[in-house]
Amino acid sequence: MKRDGRLLRVMAVAAAGGVLLLGAWVALTAALVGSTLEPATRHAVGGALAPAVPLAVMTFLAFVGVVVALAQVVYRRWIAAPARLLEQAQVLTTSDVQRELTSDGGADVQGLARTINELVRQREQLRSDVAAQVALASRSVEQERSRLAALMSELTQSVVVCNLDGRVLLYNNRARVQFRALSAAPQVAAGAELIGLGRSIYTVFDRKLVAHALESVQQRLARGALNPTAQFVTTTRAGQLLRVQMAPVRAVGGDGGADDGDTALAGFVLMLDNITRDFEQESARDRLLHGLTEGSRASLANLQAAVEMLDYDDLDAATRERFLAVIRDEAQAMSRRLQQVAEQSTAGLATRWPLEEMLGADLVAAAQRRLEALDGLRVAASEVDASLWLEVESFSLLQALAYLAGRLRDEYEIKLVQLRLQPADNARAHLDLLWTGQAMSTETVMTWETDAMRLGAETSPLTVRDVVQRHGGEFWFERERVRHAAFFRFLLPLAREGGELAASAFVRSESRPEYYDFDLFALSESNRALDDRKLSELTYTVFDTETTGLEPSAGDEIIQIGATRLVNGKLLRGESFDQLVDPKRPIPAAGIPIHGITPEMVAGQPAIDTVLPAFHAYAHDTVLVAHNAAFDMRFLQLKEELTGCRFDQPVLDTLLLSAVVHPNQESHRLEAIAERFDVTVIGRHTALGDAMVTAEIFLKLIPLLAEKGIHTLGDARRAAQETYYARLKY
């Protein structure tokens, strides 16, 4: 844009100079001709020409207009068109963008565009050939990476791998779920501010505690231990109790120095267990035993004293009765305490059985397959809530369902049964085995419940009641008289982290490869200021906001914040931040068709004073990137006093950077830049959708900036401030 304005000024000066020279020539010629005429003749000529002066002026102005129009045509066709073609060609040569170049210049420029397109096609063909050869040669490496990704994804223990600076370079799905449970952030955004590639583990754990454990591991390595580990227990900011086991990641090839030998470390592995519930249960048992001990001690003392008094023969009847009453009361109190301990102990044993977290729809599907294997029985599934996650021991539960269905078939000739799964409350769900036909007595149901389960030649030592007790649930028989149906109902526990598990299932299918980046082993904290660091080395938070209007200073509010992260030159789609915000004010109807957010969607959502601290933690220790960042940053700055969150990190604007690398392009709107870079726009005018597009654009801008000698953050910020668009204020 700067060069574009300079060329326009040069052409305007040239056109003005030409017109002035022409006017001067006409005036000089008229003066010379007039000087050769007699005064009377000159006066007569002047009088004759005076009425034509306005026409001459108009003709002169028309001539000036024609000159300016011709100058613009010349500029667009022979100056701007080659410059725009050059910028488009630079995009193709410095990125993987594939698109046809077009030009509105002259025949030579259009021919050059066709030649460039042909060269690009030849280059892409060569690239495809090379990529095919590389893929063939590296197939075994990719298989190993895929196996690692699958293994880490399916581990039931939370695993986080860090480099020596505490930067996360690998984590699995279970760790993602674990950190969501530790987060105090609202709803969808929960956990996004705690876990992520390149993030510091010290946002969760105390740096000194981790350093102490790492020092212990290094000491054991120095003493010759083959597999040294260290353990510690810590409390998170959300009040969760974690047990952490640390193991070393040894450096390869002497990375730690020539004298380090086998003790050199490249990082460490953390295996996490949330022991909050176990600790609470153990504390409750301790309190129960303590109460039993102390209560029994007092009761035994009272009993002993009463018995000793009854040994006296001279006690009157009333006194003897009082001591006997003491004995009865204390015996009953001891009996109640023992009963309470027994009940809680039984409940603890039932829930201590290993249960697995399982999607309810998967359990129903497995039960349907198991029951359909029984001869002469058809099975249907109806009213199954696909969003429920259960905590079950599926093998014994399927045995119980098959046992009950088999007895219905054998003893009541039931040919069709149905499975139904619905929520009961916030902690439990109903699993029903439903049939139509003859009902049974309560005595028969109790017999089936307590008999050992037998199905064909298979016999299990368990009963249906045992299975129910394993789940800490309930079981009963019920009739539906309106439908002439009956059903067995199992009351089963819901998984404690159902929502997170559902989210992790989605992430596993979409983004598993983004969960590790071993290139981060090579990165370490730099003492250089951020402005001196290369753009390719930095970690970015690319964000966007949707708002009620375009005037932040006039009361408009944020209604959605979306963000994603760029680490080590990679877009981490799975580590996104997406949260609706209740603006506490009406949403103008004119804006709803643009962003698609209705008042009903934000009703009940957290307010900005809750969402902004979570986003602040998510963006901590990163460089902010946005398109037309001045607009979004103004909304954040106006909430500093309310939330106490100050976004003081560096900010880059893709609008300004586009103007830096492509000063001759006519538009720097997000859609126009995306079209130039062949970036697919999905979810336009949604905060997360725009943030994703902006992130892809920024990744393609980095090599173009390098072509112009802009390598560091400081270079990019200074170049952006020199553009025309940097003057925009909100």
Side-chain angles (χ1 to χ4, degrees), residues 172-222:
N172 64 350
N173 285 312
R174 188 65 190 180
R176 186 177 181 83
V177 174
Q178 185 75 76
F179 278 83
R180 282 184 178 272
L182 299 178
S183 173
Q187 300 178 14
V188 179
E193 79 281 12
L194 297 180
I195 188 70
L197 296 183
R199 282 202 170 279
S200 175
I201 197 66
Y202 302 125
T203 58
V204 180
F205 300 122
D206 180 47
R207 182 186 294 267
K208 294 180 181 178
L209 190 61
V210 176
H212 175 74
L214 191 59
E215 183 182 4
S216 176
V217 168
Q218 289 175 318
Q219 289 175 348
R220 295 175 188 178
L221 275 174

Side-chain angles (χ1 to χ4, degrees), residues 54 109 135 219 264 346 378 465 541 717:
V109 176
Q219 289 175 348
T346 301
R378 292 182 295 114
R465 181 172 294 176
T541 295
R717 295 171 71 184

